[in-house]
Structure formats: C-alpha cells, structure tokens
Amino acid sequence: MFIVKSKNKTLLESISRACTVIAEKGFNAKTIWANSSLEDLVPNLDAGVDVALIDFKAIEKLSMMQIDAALENIPASRLALTFTPDLNNPTHGPNFGALSALITNFIIVNPPSAETIVSLKVNFPENNFYVESGDYLKNLELGINSIINDDALTIESFVDVLLVNSKSDREDGLFPTVVVDPQGVALGLCYSSKESIAEALKTKSGVYFSRTRGLWYKGKTSGATQELLGIDLDCDADTLRFTVVQKEPGFCHLNTRTCFGADSGITALYSTLTQRLENAPPKSYTKRLFDDKDLLHSKIKEEADELCTAVAKDDIAWEAADLIYFAMAKCVAAGVSLTDIEKHLDSRSKKISRRPGNAKPQYVQKKEKIEEKPKEMEKFKMKTYDVKALSSEQVDKLLLRPIKNTDDIMDRVKPIVDSVKAKGDAAIKELTAKFDKVNLESVVMKAPFPESAMALDPKVKESIDLAYNNIEKFHAAQVETEPLVVETMKGVTCSRFARPIERVGLYVPGGTAILPSTTLMLGIPAKVAGCKEIVIATPPRADGTVTPEVVYVAHRVGASTILLAGGAQAVAAMAYGTETVPKVDKICGPGNQYVTAAKMVAQSDSSALVSIDMPAGPSELLVIADKTADPRYVISDLLSQAEHGIDSQVILIAIDLTEQQIEVYQKELYKQGTALPRAAIAEVAISHSYILNVKTIKEALEFSNQYAPEHLILNIANAESVLPDISNAGSVFVGPYSAESCGDYASGTNHTLPTYGYSRMYSGVNTATFVKHITSQIITKEGLDGIGDAVTTLAHIEGLEAHRNAVAIRLADIRK
Ligand SMILES: NC(=O)c1ccc[n+]([C@@H]2O[C@H](COP(=O)([O-])OP(=O)(O)OC[C@H]3O[C@@H](n4cnc5c(N)ncnc54)[C@H](O)[C@@H]3O)[C@@H](O)[C@H]2O)c1
Ligand SMILES: N[C@H](CO)Cc1c[nH]c[nH+]1
Ligand SMILES: [Zn+2]
C-alpha cells in the first residue's frame, strides 16, 4: 500500500496527486468517481490497475452488505477510499467504521482537526491513512515502508503527530517501549525518546534510548539488529509498541530470541522449520518433506482426514497439531511467513458478510450421496468388500491396522520416560497433572489397602469373585508344578523348571474406561505364578482416588503397591523405580499407544533391565459368520470391541451372504450402535472397520490367519471342527453362544492379548508370562564317556580349545 503525502488542497488535486505518485512508483492507479458504479472495480482491477481509489460518495448510499458483496473478490490492499470525514454526519460515522473493515487504505481530505485524525487512527488502528488537511499533511500510518516522502514533511514533525496526544508518566519523559515481533510476541522492554523514535524512523530499524548510554542502535555491536515494521501507542498513549523483525541470535543479551526465554508453540515450530529448510540433515524426515511435494501433500490430506474423524478432545488437539505441522512445512517451503498467514486470518475476521463456506465439490460428493439416503443410517455403516473383486495389494491393505505414526508417538513418549527417570515422583505428579488433570498428593497407595478404599456393591463383589474363581482355576492349572526331566542318553539327564519372576508391574488401563477386569487378568496369573512383588499402575480418577474394584482385586492378588498414574509415566516409573514406586523386572498389560510405546522404550534400554509381555494395543475382533449366524449376536460382538476406543478395529468375514443378508447386518449395526452410550467412540471405530464377503470357510480362515486377530469368533455351523485350521489368533470364541465379552470378564481365559497382528508370534498373557524357565543337567561318568568325544570334536572345529580341554581332562581320568 502507498501512503501519499502532498500539499494539494482540493479533493480532486489530492487524488490526482496520489495517482501520480503511485504511478511514479511504477504502479497503475485508477480513480472510481462518485458516479461510477462499484461493479467497475473488478474489471478495472483485472485490467491491470494496481490500486483503485474510490470516492466515498460512490458508495456512501449503498448498504454495507452491498459494498461487501461488490468488494468480495478484491484484496483490501488494492483499494483506497477517498474521504472527507465528518463524524457528525450520521452516515459517515457507522459507514466509515464498517468500511474500515473492508478497505485498508484511506485518503482523508480536509479533516476538521488533528484530533479527528488521531481519533480515527485510534478507532481503526490497522488501516493506512493518508491525510490531506489544508495547512498540514499528516500521515499517521507508521508502516514505514509505505511512506512516500515527496515534500517537506520531516520525520521530526511526523513524530510530533504520533505523540500529539501522548504523555509519558515518567520523570525523565521517556516512553516505555514494548518490542514485539510481527506475531505480537513480546521480545523485551526498552525506552524511547522523541529523538530515538525519529532515528528509528529514519533508519527503519530498532533504535531506543538507553537510560545509561543514551541513543541505542539495537544490535550495532552484536549484529542482532531489528527491521522496524511499525510503531504505535497503547490505549492511554503512554507506552509505545515497536513491531520489528528481530535478527539472529535474538533480542536478549543472553542470545535467546526474547527476554522471556525460549519460544514455544507455533512461533517456535515456524522458526525450527525455517532452520531445517536451510540445514536439515540429508536423510531427516523434514528434509524428505521439503523435497517430496507428493509426500507432503499426502500427509496434509491424511492429517486433515484424521482431524475430521477425531472425537476425543485430546485426539482432536493431537490431530490439529499434526495438521498444523505439515501445513507449516508447506508454508515454510514456499517462503510464506506467519505474518502472511495472519494477514489473511485478520482480513477474514473483518469481513461483514461471509462466503457461505461450502466445501468444493470434490469434498462434498460423499456427503451429498449420504444426504440422498436417510442421513443417520450412514453413521454406523461398515464398508463392504468382496474378496473376489480385490487385488492382492488391496487385500494386503485390508490386513493393515489403523495405526498412528509410531515415530511421532516415540517422540512424545521418550521425553516422558526421561523425565520420570530423572525426577521420579515429582515427574509423575507433573505429568499426571498435565495429562490426567489430577493433582496427586502421593503417587502411590501401599498395602494393606484400607477397607474404605475397596467398598463395593455386593452384586459387583459377587461378580468379581465369580470371575476371580474361573480365571484362577484356568491359570492355576497352567502352573508347572513338576520340573520337566528327560534322560537324553544314558547318564545324561536334562531338566527344566519354572521360577516366578520376582517383581512385576501390571498396567491397568483407565483412560476412556476403567478396566478392573484387566486387574484380574494380570493379577491372578502373577499371583498363581508366585511373583513376590506385584505393583499395579492405573490412572487416578478425577478426584485423585483409585477405583474401588481395582483396589479390591489388588488386595486379593496381594499387590504391594498401587501407582496412581497412567500412560508412559506409569510404565517408566515401574521400569526404573522412583522414591516410592518399586522397580520391577517385567511390565505387563494393555494400554493405549503411549503405554505400548513406553513399554518398548523401557525394554530396549539396558539400564532399565526390564522386559515386557507383548504389544497389546487397541482391541480387535474378527468374526467369521455364515448363514446360520444370528446377525444380532454378530453385531453385538462387533460393537463390544468397537466401543473400546476409536482406534479399535472390527471385521466381519461373511461366508457367502447375499446383498440382502449383508443389509440386514448393516441395519442391525445401526440399530444397536446408535443406542450405545459410547456410540461416538464406536462410530469412529466402525468407520475404519469392514465386512469382507468370501465364498468358502477356507477363504475366510485364510484371511483370518493372515490378519492374525486379537479375538476370533467362529459363528458358523460346526465351528469346533475348524479349530485345527486356525494358526494365528490371540483367543478364539467357538459357536454362537461364546460371546467375546465372556472372555473379557469371567470365563477364565485371559483378555490381555496380542494385537496389530502380533498373534502371529506372541501368546496372550498366561501363567507362563510371569515365570522364566531354568534348565539343569546331571551328567554321570558314564554319561560323559558317552557324549565326551562329540563335545571335544565340536569344540575343536570351532577352535575353542578351552572348551575341548574341559571335557578332555575328565575323559582322560575316566578312561585311564
Ligand atoms: N489388547 C488388550 O488385551 C487390551 C485389553 C484392554 C484394553 N485394551 C486397549 O487399551 C487401551 C486403553 O486406552 P486408554 O486410553 O483408555 O487408557 P490408558 O490407561 O492406556 O491410557 C490413559 C493414559 O494415557 C496418557 N495420555 C493420554 N493422552 C496423552 C498424551 N497426549 N500424551 C501422553 N500421554 C497421554 C494419560 O496419562 C492417561 O492416563 C484401549 O485402546 C483398549 O482397546 C487392550
Ligand atoms: N476386550 C479387551 C481386550 O482387547 C478387554 C476388556 C476389558 N474390559 C472389557 N474388555
Ligand atoms: Zn473388551
């Protein structure tokens, strides 16, 4: 934008002078006069006019809606309004105010007084003013780069105008000066005098008045100079604000960008990305993003999609952060600054009427289709595929889980683990306050737990006791009481015996649902295996207590400690130990992505010396159903796992069902799904779940074995007969009455099971999870005589003479 200063007296002269000066600068200006129509603007601008000067009279009679509509597609910076303000004129007051929201540049002719200008400037601080008044011409806009100084206006008189209504409240007459960056982030505080302001304007840089050194050219010696973008005054005109672009290494003498320490949030992200653009290591992810537009664009779309499906507050924040990261990477790569983005945000917020905000057709197609049908029905609808119609790549895609980017999760989890490792209980308190919004006084409850903390409804207690008995029976039966003894050859006896792992940590999830049943599933096998110390970790409730059901089970299994924490911090506390949390040897239990990632981190840190059970993540269920299955049963099972979390996945393999039969399933899904209290969660899980139609049980089992589900339900005729063909699954539920929920709570099998396809190589939690095996051997003289030569020969070919000797020396004695 151009601010033109001239000494012409009339409106016509002022405007034509403005046009001339703009033209001298190489731009094409055009005046729209009172009787021209506003519609002329668009063609004029299209025809290469850079700045349109609009006479206020041309638009004074129009309603603001009309003006807004006419100016809809014209960037505000290309318009300047010529105007003789008369604030007593009722149409000037409100219309002028509203217009200032649409048009950034004003040429004001013959204002009644300097105060009028100051008042306009205060009311519309973000507009550019070019002021023509008979005797004086005052430009109140201090957008330094836009001043065209073509006559005798001196910087000093300019400063006088700026300070016309201001008054320092300091004895030395200096103005406290807040120095901010273009985003308004405070860099520090300085002081200004009239002289330093004039110097700043002349040099277009940060110049202040130091109370010890006088005139102070910021960065003159350190190189941390500032480009001055603007100066303005606060509401009571006693403090100045300098908006600057700060050069490296920063404003503060301690070499940080601000005097208030390091940046955070979007500003920090922007500066990190800018630095990375210049010097990201060749193989880094950010470098790949900058170099590979397709990758960047796919990530932006992927994150936008994930943001749309996010439901929980924290997930929405997470996805929004991801989207902002990739969007900023695109901006940085294209040289778009934060200020450029903010300008657009600000101009939108100023508009009086808005575009309807409809999405482009490619983004609404789906929705329009949905609207043709009863809209609600689409809510719980599983995508349906026919295996015959799929390529092998498409089948491979269906085998993948809807998982988060693990790099990202590791980046979040590692600092949490490090913090607990370094600061112990203090870190747990801090992180629990941050993630669970609970301020803990103590991070643990120690046994014996008070009766009051485990007071239960008798029916609940009875149910827990029934479940306890069944789970205990099944897991006690797995205890290896006798060692395994085998005489491999005469006089050579090998044996193997189990010993409990001494100290175990059990993670009981408690994010979206508190799961006392998981306390049973982990605590009982640990107890029957004979573990000496059991530590149970679970996120605290909002009031800082532990669910009484969990305390009751903890008491029954003989836990020594309950850690009132969840997520990665709980895992880290048990892995490394803290002042109050005992260090354990093995950590077991399911949890969300943070829990799973923290288990992986701890396991791979040799200083923690801890192992884990398996990666047990978001729940999964695959149901194989044929025509004999009752859709109500099948759907209820699918929803039981979908309601766990938005990242759960459920799959129905339908054997030879017709379209009509599938439709019955879809209707049932809608009916049961929408009635659930956790419908919002289940709906998201269903959105990335699917039905796969196959022809035969063989095809169904083939897919299921490849998918390797956590839970598999066989709701088919003669279900038991296919058990031998199942090679991968965490736990199998056979026949129409074996609801998966029974295994979750009370039948006796364990519900802590491998997910993500890990049932290909991991077992679910069982008694053996809590023991390790030791082997032993007894070799008699006769035995050594029998195997000795084989050992010495093998040691010799490996070149390990000491090994050979250990046997040879004995053999020599035996064979003397
Ligand atoms: N595979 C199995 O055997 C099995 C069994 C039961 C439950 N599950 C699964 O366990 C999971 C339980 O997840 P949940 O979230 O309800 O409970 P959770 O206890 O696993 O996680 C909650 C904790 O996550 C932490 N957290 C939340 N947001 C965070 C963030 N942004 N950064 C760092 N930490 C954060 C908090 O500290 C919170 O206490 C579900 O996915 C469920 O399906 C699996
Ligand atoms: N189905 C879960 C394991 O994936 C376990 C559970 C606990 N409570 C209910 N269900
Ligand atoms: Zn469940």
Side-chain angles (χ1 to χ4, degrees):
M1 167 50 196
F2 302 92
I3 305 294
V4 184
K5 175 179 117 40
S6 91
K7 283 193 170 151
N8 303 298
K9 302 280 191 290
T10 67
L11 175 68
L12 185 62
E13 284 166 347
S14 288
I15 288 174
S16 71
R17 175 71 192 130
C19 282
T20 312
V21 177
I22 289 169
E24 278 166 8
K25 279 276 157 187
F27 292 88
N28 187 3
K30 166 108 184 172
T31 308
I32 309 288
W33 288 108
N35 36 13
S36 327
S37 114
L38 257 188
E39 276 75 49
D40 289 350
L41 269 178
V42 179
N44 272 325
L45 285 170
D46 287 347
V49 174
D50 294 304
V51 181
L53 306 178
I54 313 167
D55 179 9
F56 183 62
K57 288 198 176 63
I59 53 177
E60 159 174 61
K61 305 254 158 42
L62 298 177
S63 75
M64 286 318 300
M65 294 298 272
Q66 285 169 307
I67 296 169
D68 190 23
L71 302 182
E72 172 84 355
N73 296 316
I74 303 171
S77 60
R78 295 177 70 189
L79 300 170
L81 188 74
T82 66
F83 182 61
T84 306
D86 175 0
L87 297 181
N88 295 325
N89 178 334
T91 64
H92 282 196
N95 255 8
F96 184 84
L99 274 169
S100 73
L102 294 174
I103 298 174
T104 31
N105 314 312
F106 289 84
I107 295 174
I108 300 178
V109 180
N110 290 327
S113 66
E115 282 68 35
T116 317
I117 311 299
V118 172
S119 135
L120 284 171
K121 171 71 183 153
V122 169
N123 285 332
F124 314 115
E126 287 158 29
N127 296 103
N128 293 324
F129 291 86
Y130 158 75
V131 184
E132 164 71 64
S133 76
D135 296 332
Y136 56 86
L137 176 72
K138 306 236 158 84
N139 184 339
L140 292 186
E141 167 55 36
L142 300 183
I144 307 303
N145 291 320
S146 59
I147 298 172
I148 297 172
N149 216 357
D150 74 330
D151 72 7
L153 177 72
T154 63
I155 293 277
E156 283 72 15
S157 64
F158 196 76
V159 176
D160 282 341
V161 174
L162 173 72
L163 302 178
V164 69
N165 274 352
S166 63
K167 189 172 173 343
S168 163
D169 53 10
R170 294 172 51 91
E171 275 180 11
D172 56 12
L174 296 178
F175 287 90
T177 303
V178 180
V179 186
V180 302
D181 73 3
Q183 277 61 57
V185 175
L187 302 174
L189 181 70
C190 298
Y191 293 88
S192 299
S193 63
K194 277 192 177 181
E195 187 193 2
S196 71
I197 298 170
E199 262 319 281
L201 292 172
K202 274 180 207 157
T203 56
K204 295 176 187 169
S205 66
V207 182
Y208 308 97
F209 193 89
S210 158
R211 286 160 301 167
T212 51
R213 290 175 285 171
L215 261 192
W216 169 37
Y217 293 82
K218 169 80 188 120
K220 201 169 176 186
T221 45
S222 67
T225 53
Q226 297 172 338
E227 182 192 336
L228 179 60
L229 300 182
I231 304 176
D232 58 359
L233 276 162
D234 72 347
C235 53
D236 56 357
D238 60 4
T239 302
L240 286 167
R241 176 169 64 173
F242 270 45
T243 304
V244 302
V245 175
Q246 175 65 55
K247 302 274 165 21
E248 296 290 331
F251 181 86
C252 182
H253 69 291
L254 297 176
N255 286 346
T256 50
R257 204 176 72 92
T258 86
C259 287
F260 305 99
D263 272 337
S264 63
I266 292 188
T267 333
L269 171 66
Y270 186 83
S271 78
T272 310
L273 284 171
T274 311
Q275 287 162 16
R276 294 274 161 81
L277 181 65
E278 279 163 20
N279 50 28
K283 285 196 176 144
S284 70
Y285 184 64
T286 318
K287 174 90 178 126
R288 266 184 67 206
L289 275 184
F290 285 137
D291 290 349
D292 182 349
K293 267 198 193 132
D294 288 345
L295 172 67
L296 179 57
H297 292 168
S298 308
K299 289 305 291 179
I300 292 174
K301 287 178 197 163
E302 178 187 320
E303 298 306 342
D305 219 37
E306 289 182 6
L307 178 59
C308 296
T309 52
V311 174
K313 211 168 139 195
D314 202 55
D315 290 333
I316 294 172
W318 171 295
E319 298 302 349
D322 280 347
L323 182 57
I324 290 170
Y325 169 81
F326 290 109
M328 293 304 296
K330 165 117 189 163
C331 292
V332 168
V336 172
S337 70
L338 277 180
T339 315
D340 297 330
I341 301 169
E342 285 173 350
K343 256 189 222 152
H344 282 284
L345 291 173
D346 291 347
S347 73
R348 280 172 221 181
S349 71
K350 281 178 186 168
K351 286 192 85 81
I352 293 159
S353 71
R354 294 183 184 283
R355 290 197 183 103
N358 294 338
K360 290 185 176 160
Q362 64 266 41
Y363 298 106
V364 288
Q365 254 170 10
K366 244 197 205 152
K367 200 168 154 234
E368 278 161 4
K369 262 197 213 147
I370 291 166
E371 277 163 6
E372 284 162 20
K373 299 182 188 159
K375 196 175 160 206
E376 280 289 302
M377 282 293 286
E378 290 301 316
K379 271 187 157 184
F380 275 89
K381 198 161 176 116
M382 285 165 90
K383 287 176 225 74
T384 306
Y385 304 97
D386 199 312
V387 81
K388 280 197 311 292
L390 298 176
S391 65
S392 62
E393 288 78 30
Q394 285 168 317
V395 172
D396 287 349
K397 249 187 163 176
L398 289 183
L399 294 170
L400 296 175
R401 311 315 206 252
I403 338 175
K404 298 246 180 224
N405 177 342
T406 42
D407 281 356
D408 231 28
I409 289 159
M410 285 296 179
D411 285 350
R412 287 173 197 221
V413 160
K414 278 188 195 134
I416 298 178
V417 172
D418 288 344
S419 165
V420 174
K421 197 172 160 185
K423 297 195 288 175
D425 287 352
I428 299 176
K429 286 184 183 171
E430 226 172 75
L431 293 158
T432 306
K434 179 173 175 191
F435 294 122
D436 302 274
K437 311 283 175 278
V438 176
N439 291 311
L440 294 172
E441 261 175 38
S442 163
V443 300
V444 291
M445 271 177 88
K446 292 279 181 185
F449 309 118
E451 286 289 334
S452 57
M454 48 177 137
L456 296 182
D457 176 304
K459 188 145 187 263
V460 174
K461 186 165 176 293
E462 223 175 86
S463 305
I464 292 180
D465 290 343
L466 182 144
Y468 194 107
N469 287 345
N470 287 349
I471 298 163
E472 189 180 41
K473 256 190 222 163
F474 189 57
H475 288 81
Q478 298 165 26
V479 174
E480 296 171 40
T481 45
E482 297 299 323
L484 171 80
V485 183
V486 178
E487 193 178 36
T488 53
M489 65 190 286
K490 191 120 181 74
V492 180
T493 309
C494 299
S495 67
R496 191 191 76 160
F497 45 90
R499 288 287 181 271
I501 295 171
E502 251 172 58
R503 305 166 300 176
V504 292
L506 313 180
Y507 186 85
V508 175
T512 68
I514 300 169
L515 305 180
S517 55
T518 305
T519 328
L520 290 167
M521 297 297 174
L522 299 170
I524 294 172
K527 183 179 184 208
V528 300
C531 299
K532 283 207 186 96
E533 173 138 44
I534 297 178
V535 178
I536 292 175
T538 194
R541 297 192 295 183
D543 64 358
T545 62
V546 179
T547 317
E549 289 81 359
V550 172
V551 182
Y552 174 64
V553 179
H555 156 74
R556 282 207 61 181
V557 301
S560 69
T561 308
I562 300 178
L563 163 61
L564 284 78
Q569 57 275 23
V571 173
M574 295 191 288
Y576 299 98
T578 71
E579 303 91 306
T580 58
V581 183
K583 188 228 172 306
V584 301
D585 304 312
K586 184 166 187 178
I587 298 173
C588 300
N592 62 17
Q593 53 207 335
Y594 307 107
V595 173
T596 308
K599 281 166 70 181
M600 306 277 207
V601 170
Q603 179 183 235
S604 55
D605 177 0
S606 57
S607 77
L609 203 63
V610 75
S611 73
I612 63 166
D613 49 356
M614 77 194 113
S619 300
E620 302 165 353
L621 168 64
L622 187 148
V623 180
I624 301 182
D626 63 10
K627 291 194 166 83
T628 67
D630 183 334
R632 293 174 307 140
Y633 291 8
V634 172
I635 293 300
S636 66
D637 288 329
L638 292 171
L639 285 169
S640 77
Q641 294 313 290
E643 78 169 349
H644 267 296
I646 54 166
D647 39 12
S648 301
Q649 189 176 49
V650 294
I651 296 170
L652 169 60
I653 310 280
I655 302 178
D656 202 20
L657 295 195
T658 62
E659 259 179 47
Q660 289 76 5
Q661 284 166 325
I662 299 275
E663 196 48 37
V664 174
Y665 276 89
Q666 299 278 24
K667 284 202 173 123
E668 189 60 34
L669 179 60
Y670 173 79
K671 186 174 150 204
Q672 292 190 28
T674 48
L676 290 172
R678 287 165 71 93
I681 294 176
E683 190 190 335
V684 181
I686 290 293
S687 73
H688 45 240
S689 297
Y690 56 89
I691 300 175
L692 181 68
N693 214 355
V694 299
K695 243 338 195 218
T696 62
I697 177 71
K698 188 164 175 281
E699 281 175 322
L701 289 171
E702 211 170 279
F703 184 88
S704 173
N705 281 333
Q706 270 182 291
Y707 181 82
E710 181 195 13
H711 307 101
L712 167 62
I713 293 185
L714 299 171
N715 199 333
I716 51 176
N718 299 320
E720 223 178 321
S721 68
V722 305
L723 273 177
D725 298 321
I726 289 160
S727 44
N728 299 321
S731 197
V732 188
F733 298 76
V734 186
Y737 296 104
S738 306
E740 195 273 350
S741 301
C742 296
D744 275 352
Y745 293 108
S747 53
T749 58
N750 208 289
H751 80 202
T752 310
L753 298 165
T755 58
Y756 297 126
Y758 280 104
S759 69
R760 289 189 189 94
M761 65 297 271
Y762 279 97
S763 318
V765 163
N766 60 84
T767 306
T769 307
F770 296 95
V771 301
K772 74 258 177 179
H773 287 97
I774 303 173
T775 55
S776 79
Q777 55 200 281
I778 304 174
I779 301 173
T780 62
K781 263 190 192 172
E782 192 186 5
L784 190 65
D785 196 28
I787 60 167
D789 292 335
V791 175
T792 52
T793 307
L794 292 173
H796 181 67
I797 63 161
E798 286 189 357
L800 300 176
E801 271 314 287
H803 286 66
R804 199 190 66 80
N805 272 345
V807 171
I809 204 166
R810 289 177 168 89
L811 279 182
D813 282 352
I814 294 169
R815 293 175 183 170
K816 243 190 234 165

